[in-house]
Amino acid sequence: MLFINHLNAIKVLSIKSGLTHLGKYVMLMGRVLSQPDRWRMFLKQYVTEMYQLGYNSIGIVLIISFFIGAVICLQIKLNIQSPWMPRMVVGYTTREIMLLEFSSSIMCLILAGKVGSNIASEIGTMRITQQIDALDIMGVNSANYLILPKIVGLMTIMPILVTLSVAAGILGAYATSLLGTTTVPELTEGFRYQFNQWFFWCGMIKAVVYAFIITSVSAYKGYTVEGGSVEVGKSSTDAVVTSSILVLFSDIFLTNMLT
Amino acid sequence: MIKVEHLYKSFDDKEVLKDINATFRDGEVNLIIGQSGSGKTVLMKNIVGLLTPTKGSIYYDNRDFVSLSKREKILLRREMGMIFQSAALFDSMSVLDNVMFPLDMFSYDAYEDRKKRALECLARVNLQGAENKFPGEISGGMQKRVAIARAIVLQPKYLFCDEPNSGLDPKTSIVIDELIAGITHEDKITTIVNTHDMNSVMGIGENITFICEGKAEWQGNNKEIMDATNKKLEDFIFASDILRQAKELHDQQQRMNRN
Ligand SMILES: Nc1ncnc2c1ncn2[C@@H]1O[C@H](COP(=O)(O)OP(=O)(O)OP(=O)(O)O)[C@@H](O)[C@H]1O
Ligand SMILES: [Mg+2]
């Protein structure tokens, strides 16, 4: 009985704290999504952020996608090999998996780790070293100045990263032909088979939505840090965990809505 | 002139400021002194609006800060400059960019003019030649001077300094104090300085407010402080042997003058 009471108390508390976070997050976004004080400064930050968050992630995206493309191709070949199955199925399935799930959702999940912790620790450090207070005192909208360029920057660059990821995955699949498991014409036929352009756009839409979730949630975690370096570290872990979970949740909704 | 009336501030159930009344005059260095933890930083944060008072009013030349609209507050903030206890320089920017930042944000001058103004301010704090360094590459005293340059670049009417010489050696402290006093007198700024450094008190204290356990106990200048009869103030000021001896000498002199 006592245990159940205890459980209920925890439930009530966690719902309450969840709602508090949601409220604070919405209020912060209200400040973020407003007109920049100076467009010139916004554009400067925007370009920097695209470089920092996007350009610097190209390497990891290409490497991971290349190998995953190759592995998916090999696995499918191994698992569905049978005389009744047309040979182009391997290419077709690889393409669908990359396009629909891996390059958009899983890739963004990986980037949530890289980009999310980066954003939360950068903004969190600015908070505890009073750099954000300094901005506020100057009459600068600190939330807008610091966070908006990150959100817009990653939303711009994420679709490009996803496209690169699909391309690298397909290259990886082609690379398996070097091992002799598949042949290039077979794969090409599969890649071309019943191509539905809408699926590509689904990936793009997902990418943009995830980019917003990752940047805004991580920025929120960093912006609301109180305390010292330990709290900054915690906020950066929180940022990755929370944005990953939210990406996975929205994946279900988006997949359901878009296809 | 900045006037604080019946100001209260509590965190949860902890009352930090209790009924503070104080006046800070134009063109003078106004000091807030008190023990560590007495609430100096909290008082300053309330005055500049980084914290909201629980009760009470703050007047900036008869503008009631607490009841200003958000927009008016932002405009008033452009008349303020602040130097934080930790300098709070933007560590991703060079010294020159730090000083130019307020201009980049709010001035419509051409780049060359903005740069010229920033270099003027750096020269004023004796930092010629350091403009391309980063905050991480310069000493604490230099960081404080950069912070001063950044705070005065927009020619503020109100200047706030939270322990400008904490962590500095006595000689550098005096340099910083004199810089602040000089700028205050030349530009007729209303300057408020938080400190517990007795050298500053005796050196530049033109209008001193003594805070003890969240109450404003005494207000006067550095001449009057020697003759003050407030018990708490005496305990705070004459805590060290040297100052106690100075006080005895001073009292002897007073007695001799009277005889
Ligand atoms: N955000 C906060 N939440 C709760 N308590 C706080 C907060 N900020 C300050 N306090 C409390 O208010 C009191 C006064 O703190 P404050 O920082 O103003 O001291 P101070 O006079 O500036 O000291 P120092 O000279 O060491 O800087 C302290 O007891 C502190 O614990
Ligand atoms: Mg303090």
Side-chain angles (χ1 to χ4, degrees), chain B residues 35-37 39-42 85 162-163 194 196:
Chain B
Q35 264 180 5
S36 191
K40 303 184 294 291
T41 302
V42 172
Q85 203 160 347
D162 193 5
E163 311 218 1
N194 273 356
H196 44 214

Side-chain angles (χ1 to χ4, degrees), chain A residues 71-116:
Chain A
V71 169
I72 288 177
C73 185
L74 287 177
Q75 287 280 12
I76 289 172
K77 172 83 184 166
L78 279 176
N79 285 296
I80 66 167
Q81 202 166 32
S82 87
W84 298 295
M85 201 61 86
R87 283 168 171 267
M88 57 83 187
V89 169
V90 175
Y92 171 74
T93 319
T94 307
R95 183 195 80 203
E96 295 292 84
I97 292 179
M98 290 305 290
L99 209 53
L100 282 174
E101 270 315 305
F102 182 80
S103 290
S104 49
S105 309
I106 307 298
M107 205 61 237
C108 290
L109 215 53
I110 294 168
L111 285 180
K114 183 177 184 289
V115 173

